[in-house]
Amino acid sequence: MNFDDIDEKAVRRPLKVGGTALLALSFQTLGIIYSDIGTSPLYTLNGIWPSSQPPPSAEDVIGGISAIIWAMTLLPFLKYVFFALRFGTEQGEGGTFALYHGIFPPKSINYDEDRALTTDSGWKTPSSTSTSTITLLGKSRWLLLAWSLFGTALTFADGMLTPAVSVTSAVGGIALTVPRLSSNIGSISIGFLVALFLLQRFGTAKVAYLFSPVAFIWIILLLVTGIINITSYPGIFRAFDPSRAVMLFVRTKNYDLLAGVLLALTGCEAMFANLGQFNRLSIQLSFGFLVYPALVIAYLGQGAKLITDGDAVIANVFYASIPGGAGKPLYWIVYVVSILATLVASQAIITATFSLFQQVINLRSLPPVRMRYTSDAIQGQIYIPSVNWILCVGTIVFVLIFKDLAKMTNAYGFAVATVMFVTTTLITIQIPYVKHLPWVLAVAWFLFFGFLDGLFWGASLRKVPHGAWVPLLVGVVATAFMFFWSWAQGLADQFDGANRRNLRHFISEATEPILQSPVTRRNLRLSPNNGLDVTVQDSIDLPTPDVEEEDYVSNSGTTPHPREESKLYLDTGDTKVLLSRMSTMAIFHKLSSGKGVPHTFYGFLKQWPTLPRVVVFLTVRIMPVAHVEKEDRYRVTKVRSLPGFYGATYMKGYRDKFNVDVSAIVELITVLELRGVESQEDATSIVDEIITAGRSATHIVPHYHVIARRLIIFGAPIINWIRRLLIEDVYRSIAYVFPETVTWLQAADEIIHVGVTAEI
């Protein structure tokens, strides 16, 4: 295999499958996505009519069920499944942060330019000549970033609340048959939750195969019990009339009922956030043909039992409405499956949180942490250990703090409503700017879905004093940190881009002639020392003639001819310092893309004016495939005007371990160096030098010691003090703890961190 088999410019695309593979993927969505919204019947009706209150009238029940049915139809079904899933990124990711980066997509990377070391960086400040509408959007960038990060942060809070609410609600059903265990519901729930988070390390695919059958059985049970319960009061079908929902609020004038209806919608944002784990069609099929009909029937059945046996079922509408009554075989079957189903429900928001954090980390709005890709087929299926255990601790804390389930559902509802409203506003902007559809469609979208989301958001805001302050606090703190990190990391990246340098601007060459013995025509061919059959991309610095793998090079005559020995000098501006060469190899890692060499390399030479025999500037490219064959992982170019300098790209599959194979790079370098060599003696000498240098390779990683740049503006003393606190005390300290090398397999003694003061 050669390099032409791998498209270096390939990007990740949404998964496309059909036939039985699509059906299998749709089945997996049950265990990952829909178990959250699928377990809402456990607590929704008691969220509308608490057990501490008398049972509602028949008309109120019909109105409440009508509100649930139409809310599910307009928001999860119409807004998310039909519309929002079409607004995923080109890579197939969904969620609020993906919507933001659809509006402001990251700059595409030219990996040919990345290997160019003798060209200027071309860093430019953003142009101010855009049209007025684009300028207005650009000026709103930081505001929209904060808004999208707030939605992401609340999804994180939702990731703690969903397991707490769902599992506690399911376990609470035992109180109907074994009242003495009521005080132990919290501890029992915590035991199940710890087991759930321990399972995450096995990955989405394996968890889905385990959980999807459970979710399927759960949904079938909801469907069956719903049909049986409907027979007790067929008049419940009047709930399909939307006017019944309107009349409920007109008659009761109780706006807070919407906060209870909102609980039926929990998990709809997980459908969008989990888009990268599956694809649009698989989500649409499973929801439209199984989940949505089963939930509607389940709520109709619960409403029917609440009308006919209100006093008996109001204490716990879900469990008390199970046909046959408490303690019967069907009750225990439903109870066991409900606990398993709520664990599956928790899985939906956990995997959604992993997906969102992957986006945020990759786009440098959070410090780098170790991520594990768990699927060879779907790049979006990941496991983030640190996020997993933060969610676990947070969930347990919520279970311990909220002894009253009503307060926990208040907190839960606020997080859901806010994320829904954030999604609506970001899609409104995407419609004209990204999809290039008429503005009238954006206005219509916002007026319709913004109104619906606003109703639920307003109802949930009223619950802030009654428990909703918890996700609000988590969201504000997490948003503030992510916004701060985006700002500080952006300043560091801007410094890096602005200070990239053309290699020839500070390194110059002088040559001295050396007498060379005559040679005869020889057939030169490199014998690979590691069995790799390789081809090499030519340098982009200067054009060269096409050369075959087996080159024939000749010289005419038998007269001795001179060979030039080069010496390199470091130009510091005032003087030129001779750079001695050592028989070693240094791999300088370029942590951000761009032409030229990093500023840290110049700082490295000033501190230590000695050059290794082989200097490689390496860029890492994560390919949209699980694994890349060893012979396809590297591309190397050489700087023809300065000997011993090379640009390289390391192309790794998203499931490949980060482990730079020095021998493979050395082999490609020797192939490049042998091109055009006329002397077998020279060839042998070059190969020996490079191989010897490669035996003692060192990885050199830039590290910026950031300091705050002094601003001269109005209020400068206060502003400079705040910037110094944030940049030097907070950002710098965290950056030391979370270095870019956190995911590397290289031994610590093979890595040198070169510090350079960066004024940002």
Side-chain angles (χ1 to χ4, degrees):
M1 186 183 293
N2 59 44
F3 287 131
D4 294 332
D5 296 320
I6 290 290
D7 181 8
E8 185 182 15
K9 297 178 176 61
V11 296
R12 176 185 166 195
R13 296 297 182 191
L15 180 67
K16 293 183 179 180
V17 293
T20 55
L22 177 61
L23 292 178
L25 196 64
S26 299
F27 183 74
Q28 285 188 40
T29 64
L30 298 178
I32 298 299
I33 296 179
Y34 294 122
S35 45
D36 187 0
I37 195 171
T39 54
S40 296
L42 279 166
Y43 45 77
T44 296
L45 290 195
N46 276 123
I48 300 174
W49 299 291
S51 58
S52 57
Q53 298 179 6
S57 65
E59 285 301 313
D60 284 355
V61 172
I62 293 173
I65 300 299
S66 178
I68 291 173
I69 291 174
W70 283 101
M72 287 183 55
T73 303
L74 294 175
L75 292 174
F77 200 171
L78 186 60
K79 174 186 170 182
Y80 280 96
V81 174
F82 192 79
F83 285 118
L85 292 181
R86 301 175 185 272
F87 288 84
T89 64
E90 292 183 356
Q91 294 76 32
E93 290 289 356
T96 54
F97 203 62
L99 288 174
Y100 169 78
H101 277 280
I103 302 170
F104 301 103
K107 180 184 176 182
S108 59
I109 298 174
N110 186 323
Y111 287 92
D112 287 335
E113 289 186 352
D114 237 12
R115 290 190 293 271
L117 308 178
T118 55
T119 53
D120 294 317
S121 68
W123 181 271
K124 297 180 180 179
T125 55
S127 173
S128 58
T129 60
S130 306
T131 62
S132 59
T133 53
I134 298 298
T135 300
L136 178 62
L137 184 63
K139 290 180 178 179
S140 305
R141 179 174 188 139
W142 286 101
L143 178 63
L144 292 174
L145 174 63
W147 187 233
S148 64
L149 289 175
F150 186 54
T152 302
L154 284 175
T155 303
F156 183 61
D158 196 8
M160 302 178 195
L161 284 164
T162 295
V165 172
S166 301
V167 175
T168 303
S169 299
V171 174
I174 201 171
L176 292 180
T177 55
V178 190
R180 67 177 182 275
L181 292 179
S182 298
S183 59
N184 298 321
I185 290 175
S187 56
I188 296 173
S189 301
I190 290 173
F192 282 117
L193 290 169
V194 171
L196 171 68
F197 284 103
L198 286 172
L199 283 175
Q200 298 307 309
R201 60 186 299 271
F202 296 106
T204 301
K206 293 180 180 178
V207 172
Y209 281 119
L210 175 65
F211 283 173
S212 293
V214 173
F216 179 75
I217 294 171
W218 168 254
I219 291 171
I220 296 301
L221 283 174
L222 289 179
L223 188 64
V224 171
T225 56
I227 292 173
I228 295 173
N229 287 334
I230 287 172
T231 59
S232 67
Y233 189 79
I236 194 65
F237 283 113
R238 286 181 290 168
F240 283 110
D241 179 2
S243 66
R244 300 286 180 169
V246 176
M247 292 306 298
L248 169 68
F249 295 100
V250 172
R251 184 172 55 254
T252 62
K253 297 180 174 56
N254 187 356
Y255 182 43
D256 289 342
L257 291 176
L258 264 182
V261 174
L262 176 63
L263 297 177
L265 311 180
T266 57
C268 59
E269 183 66 28
M271 290 189 285
F272 187 33
N274 273 311
L275 180 59
Q277 307 262 355
F278 301 97
N279 67 9
R280 174 161 56 94
L281 189 55
S282 64
I283 296 173
Q284 291 173 331
L285 285 175
S286 54
F287 188 79
F289 289 97
L290 181 61
V291 178
Y292 175 76
L295 289 175
V296 169
I297 294 297
Y299 284 118
L300 288 172
Q302 288 186 27
K305 290 296 290 184
L306 189 56
I307 290 174
T308 57
D309 301 311
D311 291 327
V313 303
I314 190 64
N316 191 319
V317 176
F318 176 79
Y319 282 111
S321 63
I322 295 174
K328 301 300 181 181
L330 182 58
Y331 178 91
W332 288 114
I333 292 174
V334 173
Y335 178 73
V336 171
V337 176
S338 69
I339 292 177
L340 295 176
T342 53
L343 294 174
V344 178
S346 306
Q347 182 65 43
I349 196 64
I350 292 171
T351 54
T353 305
F354 289 161
S355 293
L356 290 175
F357 268 76
Q358 178 193 27
Q359 298 172 39
V360 174
I361 292 169
N362 287 343
L363 293 168
R364 304 174 76 80
S365 291
L366 275 178
V369 296
R370 188 179 299 275
M371 292 186 288
R372 282 180 46 201
Y373 294 88
T374 59
S375 170
D376 285 346
I378 304 176
Q379 187 174 352
Q381 294 188 356
I382 61 167
Y383 166 63
I384 308 178
S386 56
V387 174
N388 182 67
W389 296 115
I390 291 173
L391 286 175
C392 180
V393 173
T395 300
I396 293 173
V397 170
F398 281 152
V399 172
L400 295 175
I401 290 177
F402 289 108
K403 302 295 185 181
D404 184 356
L405 185 60
K407 290 184 178 180
M408 197 185 301
T409 55
N410 289 338
Y412 191 22
F414 174 80
V416 173
T418 305
V419 176
M420 287 167 52
F421 190 67
V422 171
T423 298
T424 295
T425 55
L426 293 175
I427 289 180
T428 301
I429 298 172
Q430 275 225 11
I431 289 173
Y433 284 110
V434 178
K435 300 298 183 181
H436 305 293
L437 296 173
W439 268 97
V440 65
L441 294 180
V443 173
W445 165 274
F446 184 75
L447 289 178
F448 184 70
F449 289 109
F451 172 74
L452 294 176
D453 292 336
L455 287 176
F456 287 108
W457 198 27
S460 65
L461 281 174
R462 294 164 62 94
K463 301 293 185 178
V464 168
H466 307 291
W469 62 270
V470 175
L472 178 60
L473 178 63
V474 172
V476 169
V477 171
T479 300
F481 179 78
M482 289 188 289
F483 187 82
F484 154 72
W485 194 265
S486 300
W487 167 74
Q489 188 66 56
L491 292 177
D493 290 342
Q494 184 177 351
F495 176 88
D496 180 83
N499 288 276
R500 285 182 179 273
R501 306 189 66 175
N502 184 323
L503 193 61
R504 285 195 289 249
H505 286 179
F506 61 92
I507 293 183
S508 57
E509 180 184 23
T511 58
E512 298 178 0
I514 299 177
L515 193 64
Q516 178 72 19
S517 301
V519 296
T520 58
R521 176 178 296 188
R522 299 296 300 268
N523 179 350
L524 299 177
R525 180 182 177 92
L526 174 69
S527 298
N529 53 29
N530 60 6
L532 298 179
D533 181 19
V534 298
T535 60
V536 182
Q537 178 181 331
D538 212 347
S539 172
I540 60 172
D541 294 312
L542 291 173
T544 59
D546 292 333
V547 182
E548 301 294 333
E549 273 191 66
E550 186 168 355
D551 296 337
Y552 285 84
V553 186
S554 66
N555 77 68
S556 57
T558 60
T559 306
H561 61 277
R563 181 171 66 89
E564 294 182 335
E565 180 185 37
S566 64
K567 292 186 177 181
L568 300 182
Y569 294 85
L570 173 65
D571 186 355
T572 62
D574 300 328
T575 59
K576 287 190 175 182
V577 180
L578 176 64
L579 297 172
S580 59
R581 303 298 290 258
M582 296 191 308
S583 183
T584 59
M585 178 178 181
I587 300 176
F588 284 83
H589 290 260
K590 298 174 70 173
L591 299 182
S592 58
S593 61
K595 296 180 287 186
V597 297
H599 181 65
T600 47
F601 178 64
Y602 178 73
F604 171 78
L605 292 182
K606 289 185 67 176
Q607 296 176 40
W608 190 34
T610 303
L611 272 177
R613 168 62 180 85
V614 178
V615 181
V616 178
F617 292 90
L618 184 71
T619 301
V620 179
R621 169 84 163 101
I622 299 178
M623 305 301 292
V625 294
H627 302 284
V628 175
E629 297 296 331
K630 289 184 178 181
E631 61 265 29
D632 294 330
R633 290 182 182 174
Y634 301 95
R635 289 189 178 179
V636 179
T637 59
K638 65 174 291 186
V639 178
R640 301 190 184 280
S641 56
L642 294 173
F645 289 91
Y646 309 89
T649 301
Y650 170 27
M651 296 177 292
K652 64 181 290 289
Y654 60 81
R655 292 203 71 191
D656 290 331
K657 300 294 186 181
F658 187 100
N659 191 14
V660 179
D661 187 350
V662 174
S663 63
I665 297 176
V666 166
E667 181 172 359
L668 297 181
I669 290 174
T670 53
V671 172
L672 278 174
E673 290 293 351
L674 288 178
R675 290 183 173 184
V677 175
E678 298 179 346
S679 164
Q680 181 66 33
E681 183 181 349
D682 284 353
T684 302
S685 174
I686 289 172
V687 171
D688 288 344
E689 286 180 15
I690 294 174
I691 292 178
T692 301
R695 292 194 183 106
S696 56
T698 301
H699 297 267
I700 300 177
V701 181
H703 179 79
Y704 289 124
H705 180 82
V706 295
I707 60 174
R709 179 168 55 90
R710 291 177 59 84
L711 302 180
I712 304 176
I713 56 176
F714 177 76
I718 297 176
I719 294 174
N720 285 329
W721 180 82
I722 294 174
R723 291 183 87 254
R724 187 166 58 252
L725 174 68
L726 294 176
I727 292 174
E728 298 180 12
D729 294 340
V730 181
Y731 174 75
R732 188 165 68 194
S733 300
I734 297 175
Y736 277 129
V737 177
F738 296 95
E740 296 283 351
T741 56
V742 67
T743 61
W744 293 14
L745 290 183
Q746 260 68 36
D749 57 0
E750 296 179 359
I751 301 174
I752 296 176
H753 292 267
V754 177
V756 172
T757 299
E759 190 176 24
I760 63 175

